[in-house]
Amino acid sequence: MNNAPPPAEGPKPISYTLKRDAEGFFGRWRDKWLGWWQSKRFRLATYAVLVFFALILLAWTIFARNLPDAEALIEYESPLPTVVRDVNGEPFHSYARERRVQLEYADFPKTLVHAYLAAEDKTFFSHGGIDYPGIVSALFDNIFSNKRSRGASTITQQVAKNLLLTNEYSYTRKVKEAILAKRIENALTKPQILSLYLNEIALGRQAFGVEAAAQAYFAKSVDQLQLHEMAFLAILPKAPERYGRAKNAELAIARRNWVLGEMRANEWITDPQLASARAQPLGLVTQRGTGYKNIGGYFAEEVRRQLIEKFGETDSAGPYSVYSGGLWVRSSMNPEYQLLATKALRDGLLRYNAGKAWKANLGTIDVTDDEWPSRFASTNIGIDYANWRAGVALGKGRVGFADGTIARLNGGPAAMKAGDVIAVAPQGTNSFVVRSVPEVGGGMVVQNPNNGRVLAVQGGFDNRISSFNRATQAQRQPGSTIKPFVYATALDNGMTPTSIIVDGPYCVWQGANLGQKCFRNFSGSGAGPQTMRWGLEQSRNLMTVRAAAESGMDNVTDTFRAMSIGDYPDYLSYALGAGDTTVLKMVNAYSMLVNHGRELKPTLIDFAQNRKGKVIWPAKWKSCTGCRAPDWNGKPMPRFAAAGKQVMDPITAYQVVHMLEGVIERGTAVTLRELDRPLFGKTGTTTGPTNVWFIGGSPHLVAGLYLGFDQPRNMGGYAQGSSLAAPIFKQFARTAMAGMPKTPFVAPAGTRLVRIDRKSGKRVYGAWPGADPKGAVIWEAFKAETEPKRSIRQDELAARGDKPKKKTTSQTDGAASTTTSPSASVGTKRDQEFIQQEGGIY
């Protein structure tokens, strides 16, 4: 046995494993997770949570991902109609496809608010946008009922649907409504939400919002409604087309009384109020118009066209569109002048039409069934002349109206048949007689010649019969009304009002294609050599053509273009009005003559404001502070620079106006002389005759018109501007100008006013113009150094049979005498009086 000790062992190796605390933490949780995962319940619970979040994500993707932003309602602007005001600021027309009036929340009567809460959402001020008990009740009813799904929408949800969603019936929309309702409640206050609802809810009769509905159903504002009327409006959101019809009055009353009962249950009204309101009838008015006066239909239509061209028609065109932009437009329409122009033109059309055979010129509709009232109403044909009404012939001596009523028709033309739309006037009790609407048309424009503002437009007999505006759209030949601008060209090319022009046969070779053209006067005869003034006063065609030829037809057409009449070729026939133009253009051209040849742009719109009152058109518009102040404040008065460029020599323009005064005094428009005030004007009759014209006015007012068929045809040999058109202007001017001062036309600086012999055009000394418009001596206007140098002696006047003013033996006939006799002093004194009267030496 070996007892030797074992050999000594070396040191044993030691290994260490370092573990971080975090790894130990996750490791412990991993161990626990693995332990839990072994449990079936834990795995099911995990799957349920994952499915729940997946469903939330799916629901967000389906319902909420592309929903509109609820905060957009904070800046929401309701689509509002455009309202047009006249020159006095009074509304007279609106452009609307829907009735809309927007109010603030404070403007709604508290009882009206309670009526809507009772009918639609009693817990509105307490819920957060969703009525959960109502949803459960609606789901129960929808599952166990075969009727159409019943909703449980709160007012907030209805706002979401009306303003942010569509009207589809689906559970998808309901979910979206609920999501948006919660968002709206977070973005807006309860009064803001309720205000949106009451302003936007559709209530039938094209009315949106309770104020528009109050006007449509009761012809009242909301602050004038009685309790039973408020309760009726509250039932309309459910079924406006059913409850708003007279034939369903019993259903409406039952529903209204239910709302009243709900209001009592919520202690918003008392028992006596409940009983009194339930005893009331509905009291609905018939369908109403816009509530504006029926005036200026053609004017308003022209304004509408201009606004659409500037801002567009619907909201897709921009924020200031005509039918939804809520514009307030100040127009230049003078209601007094508009009414006078409308009546004058209509009376003139009726005078021409008197005695002519009746024609069915208003259209026809089918009257073979009971739907004829709606067909007739859809035509929108109406007449507001005197006591006339538009109706439809039903046959067997009956006439029907748009509201479905039928009356007896006394007699009637043989050409009338059932279905013809006719004009009738009352005759006896519930009976009518046929009236004839003129087939001939016409247009009239009234303008301020100092600034170009159009004050009245009448484009036919009635715009509800024909919307075609003959004053601004009809292209017609102006005839002799264009002659003043031919003579203006002659005056600018060396002639004077006393220049002698031959009134005799005139032919001109117009080239191989057109051959020789010969012109003639309206009467067919010539008067030999005459002054330019006489030719214009008597409207002599041959003298006009000669003046155009001598001046250069290219210069004449340049004048037409400068005066914005039209762009015509250089043919002599255009000097007699062969080119087409409009009444508006011609009236504006005459206004530029009164304005001393300075350019005018005819305007119907003074300015346009957005719904917040800011002027958005014209771009450089500035208000005139203090312009309507009753008294002068003592400060320097404003001085406005002349607007528009000079398109005609101012003296030339005045010379033409001065000669056109002679047309009134002794020419083709002498019928206007009895108005007894300074007037100028010109008649016109085109070949056929197919059109008759008159344009003229005073220093403050210019008006023009024409009469003619829409499809030009002969109006009859008796038709002339002097016999048909001038009397219409006369009827208008007699009342329109009654209160105006009798202000003469003012000559521009540099004009020389000289006494001349009216017939020869020679200068006269010692004789004075008298009160007789056909006197031998008249004042004539000349440019410097163009007046006649020769004089006509008293003995020459006496030899011709004229009777000049008696003069004393000491007066001289030639140049001014160097003597200082009393008679010479009298003459000098009269010269000074005239100079002072005219405002100075021109």
Side-chain angles (χ1 to χ4, degrees):
M1 168 179 260
N2 186 4
N3 292 322
E9 296 182 2
K12 294 182 179 180
I14 300 174
S15 62
Y16 297 92
T17 301
L18 298 176
K19 295 183 178 180
R20 296 181 180 178
D21 291 341
E23 183 178 343
F25 174 79
F26 285 110
R28 289 193 297 271
W29 273 105
R30 181 185 58 196
D31 293 340
K32 291 180 180 180
W33 174 266
L34 293 176
W36 292 341
W37 190 253
Q38 301 301 320
S39 169
K40 183 177 180 180
R41 291 182 179 179
F42 181 80
R43 290 198 304 271
L44 291 177
T46 302
Y47 291 145
V49 171
L50 292 175
V51 170
F52 175 75
F53 281 106
L55 290 175
I56 291 177
L57 179 62
L58 181 62
W60 180 86
T61 303
I62 296 175
F63 299 113
R65 184 166 60 95
N66 294 319
L67 283 180
D69 185 4
E71 292 189 358
L73 294 179
I74 298 175
E75 301 296 331
Y76 174 77
E77 291 185 338
S78 173
L80 295 176
T82 291
V83 177
V84 186
R85 297 175 289 174
D86 61 25
V87 71
N88 301 317
E90 293 296 324
F92 74 95
H93 198 85
S94 69
Y95 310 117
R97 296 191 174 102
E98 301 166 345
R99 298 174 186 264
R100 288 184 182 271
V101 181
Q102 198 168 28
L103 300 180
E104 298 294 332
Y105 179 74
D107 298 326
F108 297 110
K110 194 171 184 179
T111 304
L112 178 65
V113 173
H114 288 157
Y116 274 91
L117 295 182
E120 297 293 322
D121 190 356
K122 290 187 285 290
T123 61
F124 171 75
F125 281 100
S126 60
H127 64 62
I130 302 174
D131 180 12
Y132 295 105
I135 292 176
V136 173
S137 175
L139 287 173
F140 182 84
D141 288 347
N142 294 337
I143 292 172
F144 297 100
S145 173
N146 294 325
K147 298 180 181 179
R148 196 183 79 173
S149 298
R150 179 173 74 85
S153 296
T154 63
I155 284 179
T156 310
Q157 287 177 273
Q158 292 184 55
V159 169
K161 179 190 70 173
N162 294 336
L163 301 184
L164 301 176
L165 297 173
T166 65
N167 286 325
E168 63 171 331
Y169 286 99
S170 67
Y171 290 108
T172 300
R173 194 207 71 199
K174 285 293 183 183
V175 174
K176 292 180 178 180
E177 273 184 20
I179 296 172
L180 283 173
K182 299 297 291 184
R183 294 180 180 179
I184 291 173
E185 291 279 347
N186 291 329
L188 278 72
T189 65
K190 288 289 187 178
Q192 287 176 321
I193 297 170
L194 197 53
S195 180
L196 282 173
Y197 175 79
L198 294 175
N199 277 318
E200 295 297 322
I201 190 69
L203 299 174
R205 294 195 180 184
Q206 296 181 314
F208 287 78
V210 294
E211 171 64 21
Q215 295 286 352
Y217 289 98
F218 300 109
K220 299 178 180 178
S221 294
V222 290
D223 59 348
Q224 300 171 327
L225 295 174
Q226 299 180 39
L227 174 58
H228 70 280
E229 295 168 334
M230 295 179 182
F232 170 80
L233 293 182
I235 73 174
L236 292 176
K238 292 294 183 185
E241 296 304 323
R242 184 201 309 171
Y243 296 132
R245 295 182 182 273
K247 64 181 181 181
N248 297 325
E250 293 184 4
L251 289 174
I253 290 175
R255 178 71 178 173
R256 181 203 67 182
N257 291 345
W258 174 83
V259 171
L260 290 168
E262 292 294 304
M263 295 178 71
R264 178 66 189 97
N266 285 274
E267 298 184 350
W268 288 328
I269 60 175
T270 63
D271 287 329
Q273 288 177 313
L274 172 65
S276 176
R278 281 181 168 175
Q280 297 293 330
L282 287 181
L284 307 183
V285 299
T286 57
Q287 291 269 8
R288 300 177 68 248
T290 60
Y292 298 113
K293 296 179 180 179
N294 187 24
I295 179 177
Y298 284 106
F299 193 107
E301 178 60 19
E302 184 62 27
V303 169
R304 187 187 73 91
R305 278 193 288 267
Q306 293 185 17
L307 289 174
I308 288 177
E309 183 178 351
K310 178 68 178 178
F311 298 114
E313 187 170 356
T314 59
D315 54 2
S316 61
Y320 304 133
S321 61
V322 171
Y323 286 98
S324 60
L327 300 178
W328 282 85
V329 178
R330 175 66 72 90
S331 77
S332 56
M333 190 199 78
N334 184 305
E336 178 186 356
Y337 294 162
Q338 182 63 58
L339 289 171
L340 292 173
T342 300
K343 188 176 188 309
L345 183 62
R346 285 175 171 176
D347 289 350
L349 295 173
L350 288 169
R351 282 195 298 269
Y352 174 83
N353 195 65
K356 293 180 173 57
W358 182 90
K359 289 187 177 181
N361 56 353
L362 301 184
T364 60
I365 64 170
D366 181 11
V367 294
T368 57
D369 56 30
D370 294 337
E371 297 299 319
W372 64 263
S374 59
R375 294 192 193 99
F376 182 38
S378 66
T379 65
N380 292 319
I381 294 176
I383 302 174
D384 67 346
Y385 179 79
N387 58 354
W388 292 14
R389 292 182 64 182
V392 58
L394 300 177
K396 299 180 180 179
R398 299 175 303 153
V399 59
F401 300 102
D403 59 3
T405 60
I406 299 175
R408 186 171 67 255
L409 192 62
N410 297 334
M416 186 179 67
K417 60 183 183 298
D420 285 339
V421 178
I422 57 177
V424 295
Q427 188 182 62
T429 304
N430 198 35
S431 63
F432 292 81
V433 63
V434 177
R435 292 287 182 249
S436 181
V437 174
E439 186 182 10
V440 69
M444 185 172 182
V445 171
V446 182
Q447 187 178 28
N448 184 330
N450 300 310
N451 51 35
R453 297 170 75 207
V454 177
L455 306 177
V457 173
Q458 185 65 19
F461 191 82
D462 196 307
N463 68 296
R464 290 177 297 173
I465 294 175
S466 171
S467 61
F468 179 63
N469 193 335
R470 295 157 188 83
T472 62
Q473 294 176 294
Q475 297 288 331
R476 314 295 289 201
Q477 292 182 348
S480 295
T481 58
I482 209 168
K483 289 178 180 177
F485 306 98
V486 177
Y487 288 116
T489 307
L491 292 170
D492 280 338
N493 285 273
M495 291 189 180
T496 72
T498 58
S499 294
I500 301 299
I501 306 173
V502 176
D503 183 32
Y506 187 79
C507 296
V508 61
W509 177 258
Q510 301 187 109
N513 293 331
L514 298 176
Q516 182 168 277
K517 171 69 174 178
C518 290
F519 298 88
R520 65 180 181 84
N521 288 318
F522 185 83
S523 63
S525 60
Q530 300 288 342
T531 64
M532 176 190 290
R533 167 179 282 279
W534 185 88
L536 182 55
E537 290 178 355
Q538 304 302 319
S539 195
R540 308 299 285 186
N541 289 347
L542 296 176
M543 296 178 68
T544 307
V545 172
R546 286 182 184 273
E550 292 183 23
S551 305
M553 194 60 204
D554 57 336
N555 294 323
V556 174
T557 54
D558 285 344
T559 300
F560 294 162
R561 280 186 285 271
M563 304 299 284
S564 301
I565 295 173
D567 190 357
Y568 308 129
D570 302 334
Y571 298 135
L572 285 173
S573 58
Y574 289 92
L576 299 180
D580 290 338
T581 188
T582 66
V583 177
L584 179 62
K585 290 180 179 179
M586 290 302 299
V587 170
N588 188 66
Y590 274 66
S591 292
M592 284 193 272
L593 292 176
V594 179
N595 199 37
H596 290 170
R598 191 171 289 277
E599 183 183 38
L600 292 173
K601 298 290 186 182
T603 60
L604 285 78
I605 300 172
D606 290 344
F607 57 86
Q609 299 168 278
N610 63 16
R611 66 180 69 205
K612 296 180 180 178
K614 181 182 178 181
V615 175
I616 57 174
W617 186 42
K620 296 182 179 180
W621 182 88
K622 293 182 179 179
S623 62
C624 186
T625 305
C627 283
R628 293 185 177 271
D631 297 307
W632 179 44
N633 58 10
K635 295 182 179 180
M637 298 183 67
R639 294 290 185 267
F640 299 100
K645 61 184 179 181
Q646 198 72 44
V647 294
M648 179 182 288
D649 184 281
I651 299 179
T652 298
Y654 177 77
Q655 287 177 297
V656 174
V657 170
H658 193 55
M659 288 190 289
L660 289 174
E661 288 186 86
V663 176
I664 308 297
E665 292 294 329
R666 52 193 161 265
T668 57
V670 70
T671 183
L672 302 178
R673 194 169 68 198
E674 66 182 67
L675 293 175
D676 189 28
R677 65 172 50 250
L679 292 173
F680 83 120
K682 184 71 184 74
T683 59
T685 307
T686 59
T687 303
T690 56
N691 302 295
V692 294
W693 290 71
F694 177 82
I695 304 174
S698 72
H700 308 292
L701 203 66
V702 174
L705 65 125
Y706 91 92
L707 268 64
F709 293 98
D710 291 343
Q711 298 298 322
R713 67 174 190 263
N714 197 309
M715 296 180 66
Y718 66 92
Q720 296 182 37
S722 58
S723 61
L724 294 180
I728 295 175
F729 174 88
K730 183 179 180 180
Q731 178 181 338
F732 165 79
R734 180 183 288 113
T735 305
M737 297 182 179
M740 292 183 180
K742 297 182 179 180
T743 307
F745 294 94
V746 177
T751 306
R752 303 290 294 272
L753 289 168
V754 177
R755 289 167 287 168
I756 66 164
D757 173 52
R758 180 173 59 85
K759 293 183 179 180
S760 68
K762 294 181 180 180
R763 190 166 185 171
V764 172
Y765 290 89
W768 292 86
D772 182 9
K774 294 187 177 181
V777 180
I778 63 171
W779 290 105
E780 192 60 89
F782 295 92
K783 297 173 184 174
E785 304 301 325
T786 66
E787 64 271 23
K789 301 303 179 183
R790 291 185 56 194
S791 63
I792 185 167
R793 302 178 66 87
Q794 293 278 28
D795 54 354
E796 294 177 10
L797 290 172
R800 282 176 24 185
D802 295 329
K803 296 179 180 180
K805 183 177 179 67
K806 181 184 290 186
K807 67 173 183 176
T808 63
T809 56
S810 60
Q811 278 186 289
T812 59
D813 296 330
S817 173
T818 57
T819 64
T820 58
S821 64
S823 59
S825 299
V826 171
T828 303
K829 182 179 180 181
R830 293 198 55 180
D831 281 336
Q832 291 174 347
E833 290 176 351
F834 173 76
I835 289 170
Q836 292 177 358
Q837 179 182 349
E838 295 299 315
I841 299 177
Y842 296 97

